[in-house]
Amino acid sequence: QVQLVESGGGLVQDGGSLKLSCAVSGSPFRPRSMGWYRQAPGKQRDLVATISSGYTTTYADSVKGRFTISRDLAKNTVYLQMNSLKPEDTGAYYCNAKIPQDLSSSNINDYWGQGTQVTVSS
């Protein structure tokens, strides 16, 4: 079965940096796109950044200029480089992958990682 395994979270000081990674395994098809979503305590899960198989990227306004999403297609891995971290970046970061279910690529399902905690101290 498809699994997404995340790593790279931790505790950093205000202004510090972290790099998250998420590796997809168990899929015979390459993810169409991958992304990162963030959920702070008591709040909904919101999009942070996405990247397509064509390397088109999107970012939440709150992280533009500070975060960079990248992807290694051969490794089925997505990364999130986070610089100039702020306390408001604190939360659980979840990896997402949209993966075709057949050769037609007309049926695409969402898969989620287990989450990795990022805590930024003030």
Side-chain angles (χ1 to χ4, degrees):
Q1 67 278 14
V2 175
Q3 292 189 355
L4 279 63
V5 179
E6 304 178 24
S7 63
L11 174 64
V12 298
Q13 294 183 342
D14 190 358
S17 297
L18 284 173
K19 187 174 184 178
L20 308 182
S21 65
C22 173
V24 177
S25 64
S27 175
F29 301 102
R30 188 183 313 279
R32 180 65 53 82
S33 66
M34 300 183 71
W36 293 94
Y37 293 73
R38 178 172 68 196
Q39 187 168 21
K43 296 187 176 181
Q44 67 180 33
R45 187 177 300 182
D46 293 324
L47 183 148
V48 176
T50 64
I51 184 167
S52 73
S53 58
Y55 298 99
T56 299
T57 60
T58 62
Y59 294 93
D61 288 341
S62 61
V63 307
K64 287 180 179 177
R66 300 187 297 118
F67 291 9
T68 301
I69 189 169
S70 61
R71 180 176 181 178
D72 186 329
L73 291 176
K75 296 180 179 179
N76 281 341
T77 300
V78 66
Y79 306 92
L80 185 68
Q81 178 66 53
M82 304 184 293
N83 298 324
S84 301
L85 283 162
K86 306 174 181 179
E88 50 262 44
D89 294 318
T90 293
Y93 284 70
Y94 295 89
C95 180
N96 170 265
K98 299 183 183 297
I99 304 177
Q101 302 301 294
D102 51 45
L103 291 173
S104 72
S105 296
S106 61
N107 298 315
I108 300 175
N109 289 345
D110 277 311
Y111 296 87
W112 294 91
Q114 80 281 8
T116 185
Q117 180 67 33
V118 172
T119 302
V120 185
S121 61
S122 60

